[in-house]
Amino acid sequence: MAGDRQHLIERAGRLLQAADRLVALTGAGVSTPSGIPDFRSPDSGLWRDADPMAVASLEAFRRRPLAFYDWLRPLLEIGLAARPNPAHEALRDLEKFGPLKTLITQNIDLLHSLAGSENVLEIHGHLRELICLRCGAICEATPHLHEFVAGGTIPRCSLCAAVLKPRVILFGELLSQHLLNRAAAAVTSSDVLLIAGSSLEVYPVNELPWLARQTGSRLIIVNLQPTPADEIADVVIRGNVTEVLPALAASFQPQTL
Ligand code: NAD
């Protein structure tokens, strides 16, 4: 098995070496090694007891914002203290020293940016800012979220006192068409799409692998569990992102004497 994996990593490595325009697509699985649970791993106990649709939809936020913040609390407690792991660092290095042009992420945890990746499309939004749905004011999230985690103070708009919503895309909320267009353009102009840590069950991001194939891009998938796109991938590596991605990025590191 270990031999098989090494063989697959070498095949993926050859695709990356030949790539001019690599695009990466990441999901919650790149942040589980930083301690943030994903939604769909079998042992992801954090979310098992709550139906995200019931509390993390736009309608639910409007009706019961306090229940939404209760649901968000565990993610904030872990997420505010989380640090990038070797998978984030490998993707940063593939951009800095290798062919990676665009990193599309479904994650809201900011860890790619913290690791130093620059061209990141946060397609499901982010926890960097909060927005007031009543008056449109936007503010920096960190002080409010720390205050909430430490003392339970729900973030409120300084202008109109409405409860502020993190700038994450909730169920029932539209994704930014602008970001989606940029993601689609990046994928269609890529020669390799590297997917890591995503179940590929969330629409419309889960259409990107097929778009890549239609436009002639090669596909590498690194994930612990099978995904619906495995059947169209050139290389599927069933492994931990913290082992596989650094191995893929290693050959792009600058040589030191
Ligand atoms: P998902 O939970 O549906 O799937 C995660 C996948 O990653 C699983 O298939 C799992 O097998 C795999 N995985 C977990 N740990 C791994 C590891 N160490 N190495 C390799 N693979 C690993 O996640 P998704 O596809 O991103 O979709 C879930 C949605 O939930 C997204 O919209 C995302 O925005 C959101 N979410 C985000 C975070 C975050 O920002 N960190 C956390 C939870 C959920």
Side-chain angles (χ1 to χ4, degrees):
M1 187 62 189
D4 281 358
R5 168 129 16 115
Q6 191 49 38
H7 175 68
L8 292 170
I9 289 173
E10 283 165 17
R11 266 179 64 192
R14 284 194 292 276
L15 287 178
L16 295 189
Q17 283 295 340
D20 288 322
R21 300 193 64 79
L22 170 66
V23 170
L25 168 61
T26 66
V30 295
S31 292
T32 56
S34 294
I36 305 174
D38 61 15
F39 278 168
R40 292 182 183 81
S41 279
D43 55 352
S44 224
L46 189 56
W47 314 111
R48 223 176 10 220
D49 298 333
D51 172 10
M53 287 297 284
V55 276
S57 68
L58 183 60
E59 198 197 330
F61 175 82
R62 285 187 193 278
R63 273 201 276 146
R64 300 180 60 218
L66 306 193
F68 169 82
Y69 270 98
D70 269 350
W71 174 80
L72 194 63
R73 181 187 281 277
L75 175 62
L76 291 179
E77 281 172 351
I78 300 165
L80 290 177
R83 303 298 307 159
N85 64 57
H88 299 105
E89 287 160 7
L91 288 163
R92 174 210 49 214
D93 290 348
L94 280 170
E95 181 185 58
K96 203 166 171 192
F97 307 118
L100 182 63
K101 303 298 177 213
T102 306
L103 200 174
I104 304 163
T105 188
Q106 299 167 85
N107 296 343
I108 57 166
D109 56 29
L110 311 177
L111 292 183
H112 284 303
S113 303
L114 266 177
S117 286
E118 287 185 359
N119 196 13
V120 183
L121 303 182
E122 294 162 322
I123 210 102
H124 289 168
H126 52 77
L127 283 171
R128 197 175 289 108
E129 292 168 336
L130 305 176
I131 184 165
C132 176
L133 296 183
R134 188 189 289 161
C135 76
I138 289 172
C139 64
E140 198 198 328
T142 312
H144 286 282
L145 297 181
H146 276 290
E147 213 182 314
F148 167 65
V149 167
T153 315
I154 303 289
R156 287 190 181 271
C157 178
S158 61
L159 300 177
C160 74
V163 176
L164 292 164
K165 184 183 87 68
R167 294 194 81 185
V168 299
I169 307 291
L170 301 181
F171 294 104
E173 202 169 8
L174 287 178
L175 271 66
S176 152
Q177 192 56 49
H178 172 67
L179 276 185
L180 275 179
N181 290 346
R182 282 181 62 193
V187 165
T188 52
S189 65
S190 70
D191 45 21
V192 178
L193 177 63
L194 169 63
I195 300 173
S198 176
S199 63
L200 295 175
E201 288 191 17
V202 180
Y203 173 85
V205 168
N206 61 0
E207 296 201 321
L208 293 175
W210 275 267
L211 185 62
R213 285 317 305 231
Q214 278 161 20
T215 50
S217 186
R218 314 296 294 270
L219 210 58
I220 302 168
I221 297 181
V222 182
N223 206 56
L224 285 176
Q225 290 171 284
T227 81
D230 288 0
E231 63 190 55
I232 58 163
D234 294 278
V235 186
V236 177
I237 305 174
R238 194 79 65 237
N240 194 314
V241 290
T242 54
E243 291 161 18
V244 178
L245 295 184
L248 294 178
S251 63
F252 295 97
Q253 303 288 349
Q255 300 299 312
T256 48
L257 289 175

